[in-house]
Amino acid sequence: MRVPLSTLEATASVLMERCDMLARYSESPYQLTRRFASTAMQQVNGIVAQWMRSAGMTVRTDAVGNLIGRYEGTHSGARTLLLGSHLDTVIDAGKYDGIFGVLAALACVERLQQEQRRLPFAIEILAFADEEGLRYNYAYIGSKAVAGTFDCRALTLTDANNLTMSEAICAFGGDPAILRQGRPYWSPADLIGYYELHIEQGPVLEVLDLPVAIVSAISGQSRLRLEFLGQAGHAGTVPMSLRSDALCAAAEFILAVEAIASAESGLVATVGKLTVQPGAPNVIPGQVTLSLDVRHQEDRIREQACRDLHILALELAEQRNVSLVWEEIQASRTVPCSPRLIDQLQKALVNVNQTIQFLPSGAGHDAVAMSDLTEVAMLFLRCRGGISHHPDEMIKQADVEIALEVTEQFLSLLAEQEECR
Ligand code: GLV
Ligand code: MN
Ligand code: MN
């Protein structure tokens, strides 16, 4: 029996309710925090899997905990279009970063199913298990596994409880051995591309008074881990002139990071995490570990900034008689979005009477890792005040309706193209 097609308004309203609902699955009762391979992630995977099955999709969970739903195309042997985003969050997160992209893709499949419509390609929705890299300071675990670019050395990284990534994957029901094989899930020839809807996470669309934008490129980023190693000692007895205070070295470095990034247009650099040891009011800090995140749209500028910061850290360490450990954890290049897919997205915007606007992305997205496998495209959705990575993250249902309409158009245009192949 044919089920009447829900209005876009009803579909968007359900999507908003689902975002609210999934935000209740957290590792903390007071805030939304859902890290890779956590119990909260297991619960959310279970719920989304159920929604996928109800939308006529076959569902599987892969070796790393990604949830993957497949909606078949009109014929066997059809190519596949990948849609997705992530279900993990940062600490004290908002409800939409990542989750919106998964649920918007699902909403589009649900509408196809209601229409009993198949496209000349299969759709797979990828709900990635880790994009933020919160638990192991290693981002894109989910999408790298799919693209076959996961670096197996990361399996030995430990979380705050000294649990290795490998152990966490096993406890989640995954299989590190499969990851070690490092095989991409598809041959690129079988794919049409990867498309990700995501909130903008910045204020530009709000300023322009536009609901959506096509992403032009995603900035490259470097993630580093630094350690300043000084000499812990008694806060009351060691004279100032005889100290090797690791925190003072780190403090000087952090301010230099700010100054260097501020001096270069488009460069952003952040020290977001600091661990001070032994960490007592009456002990001179002997060891400080800090994270460093450096981004720019031009890889050359980001890489030069990292080199400059390394030299500066060495100089500061020498001046303060502390030693330095400098370790690059992860780096990703700037990823341009696919001109072929952008072309179709542009047509889709025109067809639904929306202004065409391009935006670069300063935030990292699963599309970065997926670009090693296939061409990628992204659509940004306006978010209130540009606020993200914060519980105040908010989107408007009316904008969601537009994003869904654009995506439906995009799928139809890709279907026409696929039929002409
Ligand atoms: C992901 O949200 C990132 O850009 O760090
Ligand atoms: Mn994020
Ligand atoms: Mn995200």
Side-chain angles (χ1 to χ4, degrees), residues 19-67:
C19 289
D20 290 343
M21 178 185 173
L22 294 190
R24 294 203 285 271
Y25 294 88
S26 169
E27 294 172 50
S28 151
Y30 309 110
Q31 59 182 28
L32 171 55
T33 302
R34 198 165 52 233
R35 292 172 309 156
F36 172 62
S38 58
T39 304
M41 178 67 78
Q42 195 79 268
Q43 290 165 327
V44 161
N45 270 5
I47 295 166
V48 177
Q50 205 41 54
W51 290 335
M52 285 176 167
R53 281 190 203 99
S54 305
M57 307 185 90
T58 48
V59 181
R60 62 189 193 278
T61 308
D62 73 1
V64 79
N66 293 320
L67 182 70

Side-chain angles (χ1 to χ4, degrees), residues 308-345:
D308 292 347
L309 286 166
H310 189 184
I311 291 168
L312 187 93
L314 284 167
E315 282 168 5
L316 285 174
E318 196 183 337
Q319 282 160 22
R320 290 191 162 270
N321 198 25
V322 301
S323 57
L324 173 77
V325 177
W326 176 277
E327 191 185 356
E328 184 180 86
I329 304 281
Q330 204 171 11
S332 59
R333 68 190 193 295
T334 291
V335 170
C337 290
S338 152
R340 177 177 60 84
L341 296 175
I342 283 183
D343 199 38
Q344 298 308 313
L345 258 183

Side-chain angles (χ1 to χ4, degrees), residues 85-86 97-99 131-132 196 198 201 363-366 389:
S85 200
H86 58 101
D97 172 4
I99 292 92
E131 182 265 1
E132 304 287 4
E196 180 168 356
H198 204 283
Q201 305 185 277
H365 298 289
D366 294 297
H389 283 186

Side-chain angles (χ1 to χ4, degrees), residues 212-241:
V212 291
I214 299 171
V215 176
S216 51
I218 308 162
S219 290
Q221 57 174 280
S222 298
R223 288 196 183 194
L224 301 109
R225 180 182 166 278
L226 278 71
E227 244 177 64
F228 286 102
L229 293 157
Q231 179 60 58
H234 199 293
T237 59
V238 184
M240 296 308 284
S241 59

Side-chain angles (χ1 to χ4, degrees), residues 54 74 84 153 197 223 228 271 280 289 371 406:
S54 305
T74 42
R153 286 171 299 182
L197 294 118
R223 288 196 183 194
F228 286 102
V271 174
T289 308
S371 71
V406 171

